[in-house]
């Protein structure tokens, strides 16, 4: 009998491992423009994003954005955008990746309260939709096509 992994592999999906943090967040490793980072996998975030403090780290070209960000407990936050980047999550890759840049200090402060490691950013629904995501919560795998 075929399992979920076998079926999805035949359909061209790539398997990406994630971990569960002390705060019950889904943690995933990835590369932006070839630079390794740690991210929260967040189905409730409309866009993938990183903090202002990681723009140089990921070699991003930040442009001012007219959009304001709203997130857990915060609204009206200044944002920037960076377009035409590469995102790689395990063996899945996209070269047309735009990312929102905003102040993520409140996210990392909250994680540190629970003695959880800080993250570089968030992988959001934009990537989950693009990759036709299937999340296997029980086995801790994200599948992207």
């Amino acid at each position: 009998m075929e399992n979920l992994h076998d079926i999805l592999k035949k359909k061209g999906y790539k398997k990406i491992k994630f971990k569960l943090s002390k705060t019950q967040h889904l943690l995933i490793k990835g590369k932006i423009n070839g630079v390794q980072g740690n991210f929260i996998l967040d189905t409730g975030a409309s866009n993938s994003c990183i903090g202002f403090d990681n723009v140089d780290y990921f070699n991003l070209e930040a442009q001012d954005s007219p959009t304001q960000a709203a997130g857990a407990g915060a609204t009206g936050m200044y944002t920037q955008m960076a377009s035409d980047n590469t995102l790689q999550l395990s063996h899945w890759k996209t070269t047309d990746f735009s990312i929102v840049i905003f102040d993520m200090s409140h996210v990392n402060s909250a994680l540190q309260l629970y003695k959880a490691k800080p993250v570089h950013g968030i992988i959001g629904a934009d990537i989950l939709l693009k990759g036709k995501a299937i999340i296997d919560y029980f086995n801790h795998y994200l599948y992207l096509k």
Side-chain angles (χ1 to χ4, degrees):
M1 182 167 169
E2 283 188 308
N3 63 24
L4 179 66
H5 170 70
D6 295 333
I7 294 165
L8 293 177
K9 189 173 181 180
K10 282 183 184 169
K11 295 193 178 287
Y13 277 86
K14 306 290 187 193
K15 182 169 82 168
I16 304 148
K17 184 81 174 153
F18 64 81
K19 291 182 179 172
L20 216 51
S21 74
K22 293 176 185 174
T23 54
Q24 298 294 356
H25 287 96
L26 310 184
L27 300 177
I28 192 165
K29 290 187 183 297
K31 289 182 181 178
I32 297 175
N33 299 329
V35 180
Q36 181 77 43
N38 296 313
F39 303 91
I40 291 174
L41 181 62
D42 187 349
T43 60
S46 54
N47 291 296
S48 297
C49 47
I50 63 151
F52 287 122
D53 53 340
N54 288 308
V55 169
D56 291 338
Y57 178 72
F58 289 116
N59 306 310
L60 298 174
E61 298 228 3
Q63 309 284 326
D64 283 343
S65 169
T67 309
Q68 289 192 329
T75 57
M77 294 182 288
Y78 169 70
T79 65
Q80 291 184 311
M81 283 289 295
S83 303
D84 299 320
N85 297 287
T86 301
L87 172 68
Q88 186 168 349
L89 302 172
S90 186
H91 296 290
W92 184 87
K93 187 176 188 177
T94 181
T95 55
D96 180 23
F97 177 57
S98 292
I99 191 158
V100 174
I101 305 160
F102 78 115
D103 181 1
M104 279 192 50
S105 58
H106 65 288
V107 173
N108 281 320
S109 293
L111 289 173
Q112 287 172 326
L113 281 176
Y114 293 94
K115 308 226 182 319
K117 290 180 182 167
V119 294
H120 293 100
I122 294 166
I123 301 297
D126 55 340
I127 292 302
L128 300 175
L129 289 164
K130 187 176 204 167
K132 299 179 173 76
I134 295 170
I135 302 174
D136 178 351
Y137 287 94
F138 183 77
N139 293 304
H140 297 182
Y141 286 111
L142 165 67
Y143 291 89
L144 295 175
K145 191 171 186 173

